[in-house]
Amino acid sequence: MSSSYDVIIIGGGHNGLVTAAYLGKAGYRTLVLERRDVLGGCSVTEQDIFPGYKISAASYVASLFHPNIIRDLDLHANGLEFLVRDPPSFTPFADGSHLFSCLELADTQKEIAKFSQRDADRYAEYEAMLTRIAEQIEPLLLMTPPDPTSLDPRNLWRLLGMGKMAKGLAGDFLPALQLASASVADFVRDWFESDAMQSTLATDGIIGAYAGVESPGTAYVLLHHVMGGITDAAGTYHRGRWAYVRGGMGGIPASIVASTQARHDPVDFIAGEPVVRILVDKGKVRGVELTNGEVIEAPTVVSAVDPRITYLGLLDEENLDAEFVEQIRNYKMKGATTKVNLVLSDLPDFTALPGVERGRQHSGTIHVCENLEYMERAWEDAKHGRWSREPILECTIPSVYDDTLVPPEHPDHHVMNIFALYGPKKLVGSTWKEEGPAFLDRIIEKLGEFAPNLPGSVVHKQILTPDDLEERYALTEGCIFHGAMGLDQLFWARPLPSIAQYRGPLDGLYMCGSGTHPGGGVTGIPGHNAAREILRDKPPRG
Ligand SMILES: Cc1cc2nc3c(=O)[nH]c(=O)nc-3n(C[C@H](O)[C@H](O)[C@H](O)COP(=O)(O)OP(=O)(O)OC[C@H]3O[C@@H](n4cnc5c(N)ncnc54)[C@H](O)[C@@H]3O)c2cc1C
């Protein structure tokens, strides 16, 4: 560790690492301090959960990570490898039918036609509409949100950019408005009639949300999840695809660190070192304090942790305006997500498509989401402080593509990740310590209804309840996005209108985590945009 730094970044999640990499590339002496022993935050490969197995214990699939970052930091040359799933998804239903989505449109339409010819015909138009809207909105992701109340020329320029975007939406203005504000159930019902299509598509609207499919605002979460794609090693971008990362999601942070080191940029990464306080002197930050009382000074401090931890946990209240503190207290971040990680001795033998040999049904995301009513009932439980008796499950088996995830002595074993909804952070009349094992058993039992061999194939199992997500990954209230992704907390209001341009309310303080625009997911974009703003403010190096 050097004795002086230009910038200290608190938190070594992927966004903190992206900011560090850009600042290091620009020549700034940068220090990243991560409280856990491993870098990556929620984009991590854990090796201590089931020794010998590599587990993407939090996030598990990639698509949103921005191609510009991959290019700028040369991440493919530094070990990043995406494994595209083909087919991308499989939804088995209780009556024994199943729906695949496929890489080719015509193949997906054939699948949909098993349920509704009308839906199959409409699907091409739906995909084209989503693509057009995503293409118009995507430039906003890389933009620093304007302050609509300011007449500063840079702000006016950004507002003009938004005007151009609105013009570009032209014929898609109505679906774009619906995507911004409607419930995902209403949105998919407008397009499709079959339960199979409605429920499979609606899952994207509730991933990570504290909301049900009928809750207004969930259609935006669907849009957020389709604004991505995968850049292959040859540099070709494939819109809308999701992929596993070879070696687990920790492959993303590992490649960022490797790229920084390959360029010999002046960045130090220190894991296992929590910051306890951001130090302030006369309204200006001057460094951070560690658990042992050690002080590290720097004129610029960047917080990659969530807004509540940043302002209520790391800063003394006396340094902040009382109204600002109140607004941060009211910042919405409720979690209802649980994550289950399993090691299986055999692949699931689905009643809807039997077979324990590696098949198309094991390749992509396996959805358990019978219909919209089933999904809303799952939310009803959560709303009343209970885990869902009939949970919504999104399962992946990345070891089907990546044999580095299992130990050589168990080449036939598989790793399964399950994103399970809902497990509300606050349970009524009980605690997660008591309820976690019961919910885990129910999830395994539920999967057994579709793949009867699964419960008997479980070799290792783990549930990460919202309490565990808060404790292990420092996700306040178990909120996986560092704040709800509703219109009132997006773009020029993320995390608050007064600090939506990556600058905090104190001189020298910045934010670069998912609590800033454009929000959660393994996108790297908050980190990228924050670095750009910091470099705008700092004098050129050297
Ligand atoms: C269960 C789960 C599943 C998900 N699935 C997906 C998915 O499949 N695909 C996807 O794109 N997104 C997914 N997400 C969302 C995505 O992972 C997150 O939104 C994103 O990774 C957050 O990145 P970040 O860098 O902003 O913050 P984080 O990853 O939260 O990083 C913040 C870091 O700060 C550290 N920290 C906190 N306090 C301190 C302190 N005082 N001192 C030092 N360090 C500190 C934390 O330990 C952490 O490492 C998932 C999230 C979860 C939890």
Side-chain angles (χ1 to χ4, degrees):
M1 182 159 78
S2 152
S3 57
S4 70
Y5 291 95
D6 300 310
V7 182
I8 294 172
I9 296 179
I10 306 170
H14 81 286
N15 277 313
L17 299 179
V18 166
T19 301
Y22 278 101
L23 296 181
K25 207 166 169 230
Y28 285 95
R29 287 162 304 162
T30 304
L31 171 65
V32 178
L33 294 166
E34 164 56 42
R35 73 187 241 292
R36 294 196 69 213
D37 290 337
V38 55
L39 293 171
C42 300
S43 182
V44 68
T45 304
E46 306 270 19
Q47 309 215 34
D48 61 347
I49 294 178
F50 312 130
Y53 298 86
K54 294 182 183 164
I55 307 293
S56 293
S59 63
Y60 50 103
V61 273
S63 171
L64 310 172
F65 196 66
H66 203 280
N68 290 9
I69 303 171
I70 295 174
R71 184 203 59 210
D72 293 349
L73 302 180
D74 204 10
L75 298 186
H76 282 312
N78 284 285
L80 178 62
E81 188 184 349
F82 292 124
L83 305 167
V84 172
R85 299 108 43 93
D86 182 13
S89 86
F90 169 69
T91 314
F93 295 97
D95 66 1
S97 60
H98 67 264
L99 172 71
F100 277 113
S101 73
C102 307
L103 292 181
E104 297 302 326
L105 175 68
D107 295 335
T108 305
Q109 284 180 300
K110 257 189 231 150
E111 279 290 314
I112 301 170
K114 296 189 311 199
F115 297 88
S116 158
Q117 186 56 50
R118 176 182 176 271
D119 285 1
D121 294 341
R122 294 211 77 190
Y123 187 67
E125 199 186 329
Y126 172 84
E127 279 282 285
M129 172 274 301
L130 272 186
T131 302
R132 285 193 305 272
I133 292 177
E135 279 174 354
Q136 288 302 320
I137 292 184
E138 272 165 7
L140 297 190
L141 301 179
L142 287 180
M143 185 189 212
T144 296
D147 171 356
T149 64
S150 158
L151 293 178
D152 177 282
R154 190 179 284 160
N155 264 301
L156 294 176
W157 186 249
R158 289 176 188 151
L159 284 166
L160 185 68
M162 290 183 64
K164 278 194 195 143
M165 182 271 298
K167 186 164 177 284
L169 285 171
D172 295 314
F173 205 67
L174 181 61
L177 273 183
Q178 290 168 333
L179 279 167
S181 57
S183 76
V184 71
D186 276 344
F187 187 72
V188 296
R189 265 194 298 255
D190 280 357
W191 281 88
F192 303 107
E193 62 184 11
S194 66
D195 285 340
M197 278 303 279
Q198 290 176 354
S199 62
T200 301
L201 293 175
T203 54
D204 270 343
I206 48 170
I207 291 292
Y210 187 80
V213 287
E214 301 286 355
S215 310
T218 44
Y220 178 76
V221 183
L222 177 142
L223 179 64
H224 186 76
H225 280 106
V226 300
M227 284 191 288
I230 291 298
T231 311
D232 63 26
T236 310
Y237 185 65
H238 303 275
R239 166 173 292 288
R241 289 193 184 168
W242 285 78
Y244 302 127
V245 176
R246 187 176 293 285
M249 290 297 283
I252 292 178
S255 67
I256 300 169
V257 172
S259 83
T260 299
Q261 291 171 343
R263 283 188 304 273
H264 304 288
D265 290 338
V267 185
D268 287 335
F269 302 93
I270 301 190
E273 199 66 84
V275 168
V276 292
R277 187 168 300 121
I278 299 172
L279 301 170
V280 180
D281 197 7
K282 299 191 189 88
K284 182 171 178 15
V285 299
R286 66 173 177 89
V288 299
E289 185 182 325
L290 307 181
T291 39
N292 63 2
E294 186 187 345
V295 167
I296 307 179
E297 303 219 332
T300 300
V301 173
V302 187
S303 173
V305 309
D306 76 40
R308 287 252 201 102
I309 298 177
T310 305
Y311 294 108
L312 305 182
L314 298 179
L315 276 159
D316 291 333
E317 242 184 85
E318 69 207 31
N319 294 307
L320 300 167
D321 182 74
E323 195 185 331
F324 176 85
V325 170
E326 193 54 27
Q327 287 173 347
I328 291 286
R329 280 208 182 96
N330 293 337
Y331 179 68
K332 289 196 285 298
M333 37 193 331
K334 276 191 191 164
T337 295
T338 52
K339 178 79 190 301
V340 167
N341 299 303
L342 303 177
V343 170
L344 303 175
S345 57
D346 292 298
L347 284 168
D349 190 8
F350 290 101
T351 311
L353 192 57
V356 289
E357 294 307 314
R358 178 193 154 151
R360 299 173 73 221
Q361 66 274 37
H362 305 120
S363 150
T365 300
I366 300 156
H367 296 286
V368 171
C369 56
E370 194 63 17
N371 52 44
L372 293 177
E373 291 72 35
Y374 173 100
M375 296 170 83
E376 186 63 7
R377 272 201 307 278
W379 170 238
E380 289 293 329
D381 272 335
K383 239 172 33 184
H384 294 100
R386 297 186 296 265
W387 47 263
S388 305
R389 268 48 193 171
E390 297 293 336
I392 301 163
L393 307 177
E394 177 163 315
C395 318
T396 49
I397 315 176
S399 48
V400 162
Y401 281 89
D402 184 359
D403 59 9
T404 68
L405 303 181
V406 296
E409 61 273 25
H410 292 300
D412 298 333
H413 281 186
H414 283 281
V415 166
M416 185 182 228
N417 304 121
I418 306 170
F419 193 95
L421 294 173
Y422 295 91
K425 173 77 169 78
K426 290 196 178 77
L427 292 172
V428 170
S430 191
T431 63
W432 273 112
K433 208 170 166 36
E434 287 170 274
E435 298 292 321
F439 192 30
L440 173 58
D441 287 346
R442 177 63 191 131
I443 289 163
I444 292 171
E445 183 186 53
K446 183 77 208 172
L447 274 176
E449 293 173 20
F450 295 87
N453 73 329
L454 188 132
S457 309
V458 175
V459 179
H460 298 295
K461 57 183 178 179
Q462 178 206 39
I463 183 164
L464 291 171
T465 69
D467 283 357
D468 298 323
L469 293 176
E470 185 170 60
E471 198 182 308
R472 195 176 178 105
Y473 298 109
L475 295 171
T476 302
E477 294 196 38
C479 178
I480 73 167
F481 292 147
H482 289 202
M485 301 271 291
L487 264 192
D488 58 333
Q489 293 195 164
L490 285 173
F491 199 52
W492 46 36
R494 193 166 187 87
L496 295 176
S498 61
I499 50 167
Q501 287 82 31
Y502 306 98
R503 292 170 184 81
L506 299 166
D507 212 9
L509 179 65
Y510 295 82
M511 294 161 293
C512 71
S514 295
T516 59
H517 171 70
V522 182
T523 70
I525 304 175
H528 164 275
N529 294 357
R532 182 185 56 222
E533 292 306 310
I534 295 164
L535 291 172
R536 260 186 192 141
D537 292 351
K538 281 185 96 60
R541 187 85 200 148

